[in-house]
Amino acid sequence: ARRACEARLQRCSGGEAAAEALEDLRYSGVAPDSMCHRRALAACGGEVGAACHLSSRAEGLAEEAQWAQLIFSEAGADGCAGPIELALALRPCALSRRWDVASDLLLAGQVDPQE
């Protein structure tokens, strides 16, 4: 189930679809692993994020930043929030210039640099 979710997440274009895929995985009784969370976070700053950036759709980018914040929070609850996940979550924040969300992520994602 987890590998099927990863494949679905790889096809996701946007945070909302990625969050739904993670929720479906949890509903099936399987906890998402770090690869699932990474693919979900990449979807937030992926095609949808790039398209919004290119078209100057600030509201779409801001929404992707919020989805990234939610998914990163869930990754933390699942014990999967490390530096890679944090970097992926920060991408849509930078694209949208949502420094408030980025700041919240940085505070929530304080990780040991030795990890």
Side-chain angles (χ1 to χ4, degrees), residues 1-71:
R2 196 174 285 138
R3 299 305 76 124
C5 181
E6 284 180 22
R8 179 178 167 194
L9 285 165
Q10 194 164 7
R11 293 185 306 271
C12 283
S13 61
E16 184 174 10
E20 287 174 7
L22 290 175
E23 188 62 31
D24 290 347
L25 183 63
R26 281 190 191 88
Y27 187 74
S28 73
V30 179
D33 63 3
S34 61
M35 188 55 70
C36 292
H37 287 291
R38 287 176 187 173
R39 290 190 194 276
L41 288 165
C44 295
E47 291 177 24
V48 169
C52 290
H53 183 65
L54 291 173
S55 69
S56 300
R57 253 189 56 219
E59 69 279 352
L61 278 169
E63 187 176 316
E64 291 303 306
Q66 291 174 324
W67 282 113
Q69 184 178 31
L70 172 73
I71 292 168

Side-chain angles (χ1 to χ4, degrees), residues 38 79-85 109-115:
R38 287 176 187 173
C80 300
I84 294 171
E85 291 78 16
Q110 291 180 1
V111 293
D112 184 354
Q114 301 299 319
E115 290 183 5

Side-chain angles (χ1 to χ4, degrees), residues 52-107:
C52 290
H53 183 65
L54 291 173
S55 69
S56 300
R57 253 189 56 219
E59 69 279 352
L61 278 169
E63 187 176 316
E64 291 303 306
Q66 291 174 324
W67 282 113
Q69 184 178 31
L70 172 73
I71 292 168
F72 184 78
S73 174
E74 291 175 352
D78 291 335
C80 300
I84 294 171
E85 291 78 16
L86 179 59
L88 289 167
L90 288 170
R91 184 173 190 271
C93 298
L95 288 173
S96 65
R97 296 185 170 118
R98 285 297 307 269
W99 308 122
D100 57 328
V101 177
S103 176
D104 291 345
L105 282 167
L106 288 167
L107 290 172

